[in-house]
Amino acid sequence: MTALVDLSPVLRLMLLGIVVALGPLAWLWLRSRKAAPARRLAMLTGLTLFLTFDLVLFGAFTRLTDSGLGCPDWPGCYASASPFGAVEQISAEQAQMPTGPVTHTKAWIEMIHRYLAMGVGVLILTLAAATWTLRRHHVLPVSPWWPTASLAWVCLVGAFGALTVTMKLFPAIVTLHLLGGLVLLALLCRQAVEYRHAQGASARVGLGAGLRALLLATFAAVWLQVALGGWVSTNYAVLACTDFPTCHGRWWPEMDFGQAFDIWRPLGVTSDGGNVSFAALTAKHYVHRLAAYVVLPLLFATAWQLRAALPRQARVLAALAAWQLLSGLSNVVLGWPLLGALAHTGGAAALVVVLTWALCESRVVRGGEPSVAGLRIAPGKELGT
C-alpha cells in the first residue's frame, strides 16, 4: 500500500522547483540588467503574477482532466521525483483501471502542476528576500510585508494542495485550494500596483463614497460567486442542469439544499455515509446560476459607473463579465467541454485580478474633498496637500 505522504524525494523536488524558476529569473535578468533595483522587482512581481495566473489555469486543467490523483501520494509520485521513477506502479494501476485516476498521462499532468507550483514558490521567495534586502538599504519605497504575506500564503496554498491528494479530492479542501490560489493572485496584484505607484507610473483615483462602496460590493459578490462555482466544479455538479434558462424543464427544479451545502464530507457521499442525491447536485448548480443573475448585472453596472474614473479597468471588467456569461452557458449547453470549463475558470481568476487592480488604483475621497470621479491623487499624497 502506498503511503500518502513520503518525504524521501523532497530535496530532488526542491531542486526541480529551483530549475523551473531559473528560466523566468534568467529571462528577467537579461531584460532588466540596466534597470534600477525597484524596477527589477516590479518586473519580477508582474512576471510572478502572470505565472501564478497560469498556475491557477493549469490547476483547473489538472482537476478537469481528473488528474488530481494521478500520483496518489505527496509530494512525489510513488516516492519518486517524477513519473519516470514510478513506471511500474503506474503501469500496474493503469492495467487494472485504464480510465481510472492513475494513468501515465494523468501522473505527468499532476506532477507538472506540482513542478510549476514549486517554481512559483521559489519566485515568491526570491521576491520577498530581495524586497527585504533592498528595504534594509533604504532604496525601495515599498513595504516588504506584502511579498512576505504572499510567501506565507503560498505555503498555506501548498499545504491545501497536499491535503487535496491525501484527503482524496475532499470537495471542501479542493475548493479552498482554488480560492487560496485566487487570494495569491490578489496579493501579487496589490504588490504590482504598489510598485507602479512607487515609480510614479500611476496614481490613485479619487472615487465618491457610493462608487467606492459599489466597487467593494462587486468585489465581495465575485468572491462569493467564485466560491459557489468552485463548489459546483469540485462536486462535479456542472451537468446537473443541461438546459437553460430552465433546469430539467422547470424554473424551480427539485433540489436538496441540506445535502448540497453539507460542507465537510468526502466526495460523492454525505456526512453520514450515504450517496449524494441528484437533487443535491441540482441545488449546487442552480444556486450558482441564480447568483449569476445578480453578479453579472452588478459587474456591468460597476463597469459602467467606473468608465470615467478608471476607463481601462471598466472596459476589461465589462469584457470579462460577457466572457463569463458566454463560457458559463457553453459549459451547460455543450456538455462541459474542457476548453469552456478552462475559459470559465480563467475568467473568474481574471475578474479577481481586475477588481483588485481597480480597488488598489482608487480611494474614497474624504469629507470636504471634491468627490469628482477621475480625480487623480499622487502616490503618498492626499488631496489638497
Side-chain angles (χ1 to χ4, degrees):
M1 182 177 179
T2 303
L4 293 178
V5 177
D6 190 328
L7 299 178
S8 57
V10 69
L11 290 178
R12 286 170 289 167
L13 288 168
M14 291 172 64
L15 288 173
L16 282 171
I18 293 172
V19 169
V20 170
L22 282 177
L25 288 173
W27 177 85
L28 182 65
W29 182 80
L30 290 172
R31 287 289 303 272
S32 62
R33 281 176 293 176
K34 298 180 180 180
R39 174 60 180 163
R40 287 199 296 269
L41 281 182
M43 292 177 67
L44 178 58
T45 302
L47 179 61
T48 305
L49 174 61
F50 172 75
L51 293 176
T52 302
F53 185 89
D54 294 340
L55 176 62
V56 169
L57 279 185
F58 199 85
F61 177 76
T62 302
R63 182 179 71 256
L64 293 166
T65 55
D66 294 323
S67 302
L69 296 178
C71 290
D73 56 331
W74 186 91
C77 190
Y78 290 98
S80 297
S82 81
F84 283 130
V87 171
E88 292 184 6
Q89 295 94 327
I90 297 171
S91 296
E93 292 290 336
Q94 185 170 332
Q96 292 184 10
M97 298 181 63
T99 59
V102 180
T103 67
H104 290 285
T105 299
K106 292 177 180 179
W108 274 109
I109 291 173
E110 170 65 1
M111 288 308 297
I112 290 173
H113 177 56
R114 296 183 196 180
Y115 299 152
L116 292 175
M118 288 183 290
V120 167
V122 172
L123 291 175
I124 293 175
L125 175 61
T126 303
L127 186 61
T131 305
W132 276 106
T133 300
L134 292 176
R135 178 76 171 194
R136 196 161 50 195
H137 291 85
H138 307 289
V139 295
L140 188 66
V142 174
S143 171
W145 289 109
W146 284 109
T148 303
S150 297
L151 179 59
W153 191 261
V154 78
C155 293
L156 181 62
V157 175
F160 276 110
L163 290 173
T164 295
V165 176
T166 59
M167 296 182 68
K168 306 298 183 184
L169 305 182
F170 202 87
I173 296 297
V174 180
T175 303
L176 288 173
H177 187 49
L178 169 64
L179 293 175
L182 298 184
V183 171
L184 183 59
L185 282 176
L187 287 170
L188 290 168
C189 180
R190 174 65 178 82
Q191 293 166 60
V193 174
E194 188 171 345
Y195 278 116
R196 287 175 57 82
H197 289 169
Q199 297 169 11
S202 65
R204 289 188 296 170
V205 177
L207 300 179
L211 181 51
R212 177 73 174 184
L214 175 63
L215 182 57
L216 286 168
T218 304
F219 189 61
V222 164
W223 276 106
L224 175 61
Q225 181 69 340
V226 168
L228 289 172
W231 190 240
V232 170
S233 180
T234 57
N235 283 278
Y236 297 90
V238 176
L239 297 180
C241 295
T242 55
D243 52 327
F244 182 87
T246 58
C247 179
H248 311 318
R250 300 168 58 184
W251 290 104
W252 193 259
E254 181 183 353
M255 292 179 280
D256 187 334
F257 294 100
Q259 280 193 17
F261 296 98
D262 180 10
I263 303 297
W264 200 253
R265 41 117 195 122
L267 179 63
V269 299
T270 62
S271 54
D272 59 7
N275 293 325
V276 172
S277 66
F278 189 74
L281 296 177
T282 301
K284 292 180 177 74
H285 179 111
Y286 209 62
V287 167
H288 180 57
R289 187 186 294 189
L290 291 174
Y293 295 148
V294 177
V295 176
L296 280 172
L298 190 59
L299 284 168
F300 284 118
T302 303
W304 178 258
Q305 292 297 323
L306 288 175
R307 69 191 186 282
L310 296 168
R312 286 186 298 171
Q313 291 89 335
R315 288 193 295 269
V316 177
L317 196 61
L320 286 173
W323 177 275
Q324 287 302 87
L325 173 61
L326 294 175
S327 60
L329 283 175
S330 74
N331 284 325
V332 174
V333 300
L334 298 180
W336 202 20
L338 178 60
L339 185 60
L342 287 174
H344 202 55
T345 300
L351 278 174
V352 168
V353 172
V354 172
L355 287 169
T356 303
W357 178 27
L359 283 169
C360 294
E361 289 281 13
S362 64
R363 65 181 287 275
V364 64
V365 293
R366 298 176 303 176
E369 294 176 344
S371 58
V372 179
L375 187 60
R376 297 220 169 248
I377 305 165
K381 300 289 185 181
E382 297 294 337
L383 288 174
T385 61

